[in-house]
Amino acid sequence: MKEVGIRRLLAANLLCALSIVLTAVVPSFFLEGFTVLGTHLTWLCVCSVCVGTLNVILHLVLNPSQSPKRNSFAQKISRFLKCCIYFFMSCILFHAIIVLYGAPLIESVTETFLFAVLLSTFTTLQCLCILGPNIQAWIRVFSKNGHKTSVDVIY
C-alpha cells in the first residue's frame, strides 16, 4: 500500500475513534442528565448515527476505489437499497448472535438490537462502503485466499 493510502487510512481510523469519544462527551452538553451508563440507549443511538455518518462521509471524500465506468441513477439507487438491506440483515444476524451468547431474548430487545446496530455500524458498514453489495467481492476478500488485486474492491 502506498504511503498516501496508509496516511488516509490512519486519518480515517483516528477520526472514527475521535467520533466515539465525542459521542460520550458532547451529548451531555445538549441532553440533560446524559451519561453513557445512565442513558445507554441514547448513547447507542447517538454513537451509531455519528460513526455511520462519518464512515459514509469519509468514504465519499477519500473514495479509495473510483469505478472507471459511470453508473446510472437507477443503478445507484439499486446499490443503495441493496446496501441498506445487507446492513439490516447484518443487524439481525448480530442480534441473533448476541442472544445466543446470553442476552435476554424478551426483556431487553431494544438494548440488544441497538447494540447489534452499533456492531453492524463498526463492521458491516465499512465493508459495504468499500465493497458494495457485491457478494463475490465479499467472498474473495473474506475467504482464505483474500483479495488479490485492487480490482476486487471496485464496484
Side-chain angles (χ1 to χ4, degrees):
M1 188 179 257
K2 295 181 181 178
E3 190 174 325
V4 174
I6 293 174
R7 285 185 184 161
R8 283 183 173 180
L9 186 62
L10 177 65
N13 286 325
L14 286 176
L15 282 173
C16 285
L18 180 65
S19 73
I20 295 167
V21 171
L22 288 177
T23 59
V25 176
V26 173
S28 63
F29 296 118
F30 302 107
L31 301 172
E32 188 174 323
F34 176 84
T35 62
V36 173
L37 297 177
T39 54
H40 60 282
L41 293 179
T42 306
W43 180 77
L44 285 172
C45 292
V46 168
C47 190
S48 295
V49 168
C50 289
V51 171
T53 304
L54 183 67
N55 281 332
V56 171
I57 289 172
L58 283 175
H59 176 71
L60 292 174
V61 170
L62 298 177
N63 210 359
S65 57
Q66 274 285 348
S67 179
K69 61 182 179 180
R70 297 282 183 202
N71 292 334
S72 70
F73 184 71
Q75 289 173 329
K76 289 180 183 178
I77 295 295
S78 172
R79 286 177 51 83
F80 176 75
L81 291 176
K82 283 181 186 177
C83 286
C84 289
I85 290 169
Y86 289 173
F87 182 77
F88 182 71
M89 287 174 26
S90 74
C91 291
I92 299 296
L93 179 68
F94 274 117
H95 183 82
I97 291 170
I98 293 167
V99 168
L100 288 175
Y101 271 103
L105 180 62
I106 298 174
E107 296 89 21
S108 304
V109 174
T110 307
E111 289 93 340
T112 306
F113 188 73
L114 286 176
F115 183 59
V117 170
L118 184 67
L119 289 176
S120 293
T121 302
F122 284 122
T123 56
T124 311
L125 185 63
Q126 290 184 354
C127 295
L128 282 171
C129 285
I130 293 172
L131 299 174
N134 185 355
I135 296 294
Q136 295 301 335
W138 281 66
I139 291 170
R140 280 194 307 268
V141 169
F142 292 107
S143 70
K144 183 177 96 175
N145 300 329
H147 75 88
K148 298 185 179 12
T149 65
S150 62
V151 176
D152 289 341
V153 295
I154 294 177
Y155 310 130

